[in-house]
Amino acid sequence: MSQLDLEIGEWRAFVEQSHGLTGGDVEELEIHLRDQIAELTETGLTDDEAFLIAVKRIGSVDEMSREFGREQRSRLWRQFVLPAETERDGDRWGRDALAFALAVAFAIQVARLAAGFPLDESSWFVRNLALLVLPFLAAYFLRRRQLPMRTALATAIPFLMAALVVNVYPFTEDSSTELLVAAHLPVMLWFVVACPYMSGVLSSHERRMDFVRFTGEWFIYYVLLALGGGVLTVLTVLVLEPAGVDPESLVEWILPSGAAGAVIVAAWLVETKQRVIENMAPVLTMIFTPLFAVMLVVATPVYALARLGGVFDRELLGIFDALLVVVLGLVIYQISARDSLAPPGWPDRIQLIAVVSALTLDAMVLGVMVARVGELGFTPNRAAVLGLNVVLLINLAVTAWLSARFVTGRGTFHRLERWQTDYLPVYAIWAAAVVVVLPPLFGFA
């Protein structure tokens, strides 16, 4: 008996035991389920992925299947990559991850030596850093998902176009647009990585939400790896320095390769860990969302009532934009980790407070930016910050409205969840606009 038949048998047993349906009713539901699975597998999904999505689709028709889909929701996240990995499969993917990590570490060193970084402070190396790392992560997912050539080509084309754009543009010396490209290119390319991660099914709401979950978990693992790698580097330098090893030279070799290789290792850890223990990111959002809500509730009226808008210089504006991005990230990840069928509770009310406070603060920052542009005119940095605040403002405003409707019982959580996944392409489009449109618009200055 195949793995798919076993899963369908489990679903059938659940339906029969939970609702006592007749054999004919269950047979009819099973036929409908198998038809859905057949349609999904024709699009390139595996049997396991098609089964989990088909159960969710039937749930919209029949409440009992929706209950089963709700119980199996965690499996969609844990088993999204491969169905029931064996120990040998786990070893294989671990070896693949190590191979890709070593490859990207080697590529970074070759590029660093060719650019003379950091002695020559090559802007080329900084500008192309994302292009030197993220294609390896995309290739890792292409191999892990065993995707067809058409998906590989669809993934490779944006990388090639980005490489062409950022290396052909004639940036001037000390160019602001070059720094903006270096900052926004990783964001744009991260959404390109989403294509192989989601097996090329970019229109799926569930797949987009899985990518949000992956992003949150990946970030946490990468930070942990970075902290551990930093301690290891310091200890290595302290141990080898008495032997006459140059600490700066040692760091130049360890740091770039370690940071690049950790991108692959963190992705492998996220996908492997999903089969063993619960996710960490939902726990952290439960802790930090209330703390950020308190901080925003205090900071917003202080800046509003004390009329401190004039103190928003470039550095402070950058800090507040980073704060808004973090708060929005916490909100999005809390939404992705929540049971969409559960009634509103205190975490949802705290989240609404955080979103409204962030929205108010963003409106204040945006007002200062508009005034500054009216007084001093547009520059590349002002245009980028202004655009980012508009993108954040729109998302925060709609999120606040949908959250308020959900908390008061006038709306569904599904609407709020769909809004976040539908809005994800806006971030990618904005990052691409900064990379492609902004430099020529300001003469590459």
Side-chain angles (χ1 to χ4, degrees), residues 145-405:
R145 305 289 193 268
Q146 300 179 352
L147 298 176
M149 182 59 66
R150 65 177 182 274
T151 306
L153 291 175
T155 304
I157 289 174
F159 282 111
L160 294 174
M161 294 178 63
L164 182 65
V165 167
V166 302
N167 288 287
V168 169
Y169 278 175
F171 295 104
T172 60
E173 188 176 355
D174 297 327
S175 170
S176 296
T177 55
E178 186 177 24
L179 295 176
L180 290 171
V181 166
H184 288 78
L185 185 61
V187 178
M188 184 187 82
L189 297 183
W190 186 257
F191 285 97
V192 177
V193 172
C195 179
Y197 180 86
M198 296 190 293
S199 299
V201 187
L202 301 180
S203 60
S204 170
H205 160 71
E206 290 81 9
R207 294 294 186 89
R208 291 185 185 184
M209 192 56 74
D210 281 326
F211 186 67
V212 170
R213 296 186 184 102
F214 166 78
T215 300
E217 291 287 314
W218 177 89
F219 178 78
I220 291 173
Y221 270 99
Y222 190 84
V223 170
L224 292 175
L225 289 172
L227 292 174
V231 173
L232 178 62
T233 302
V234 171
L235 292 176
T236 303
V237 168
L238 293 176
V239 168
L240 296 181
E241 188 175 9
V245 177
D246 182 11
E248 293 185 3
S249 177
L250 188 64
V251 171
E252 289 174 7
W253 281 94
I254 294 178
L255 189 59
S257 291
V263 172
I264 308 296
V265 175
W268 172 72
L269 285 173
V270 171
E271 300 217 315
T272 302
K273 179 197 70 67
Q274 298 303 330
R275 297 163 177 80
V276 183
I277 58 176
E278 291 301 317
N279 304 337
M280 289 189 299
V283 178
L284 294 180
T285 57
M286 291 293 291
I287 296 172
F288 284 102
T289 300
L291 296 178
F292 272 91
V294 171
M295 186 264 286
L296 288 168
V297 167
V298 172
T300 302
V302 166
Y303 275 87
L305 298 177
R307 300 182 183 275
L308 295 177
V311 305
F312 281 97
D313 55 14
R314 178 186 299 180
E315 289 73 20
L316 190 58
L317 284 171
I319 293 172
F320 273 97
D321 282 341
L323 171 64
L324 292 172
V325 170
V326 170
V327 171
L328 187 59
L330 287 172
V331 169
I332 292 175
Y333 202 85
Q334 184 171 325
I335 290 173
S336 74
R338 188 188 186 281
D339 182 0
S340 60
L341 298 177
W346 67 265
D348 302 294
R349 294 175 175 84
I350 292 177
Q351 177 180 287
L352 177 58
I353 294 172
V355 171
V356 171
S357 300
L359 177 63
T360 305
L361 189 60
D362 190 20
M364 292 171 55
V365 173
L366 189 60
V368 173
M369 281 302 305
V370 171
R372 182 163 296 182
V373 168
E375 179 182 355
L376 303 174
F378 272 107
T379 66
N381 289 327
R382 293 190 192 113
V385 173
L386 184 63
L388 175 61
N389 276 275
V390 170
V391 169
L392 294 176
L393 184 73
I394 294 172
N395 194 357
L396 288 169
V398 178
T399 299
W401 179 63
L402 294 175
S403 296
R405 288 181 58 84

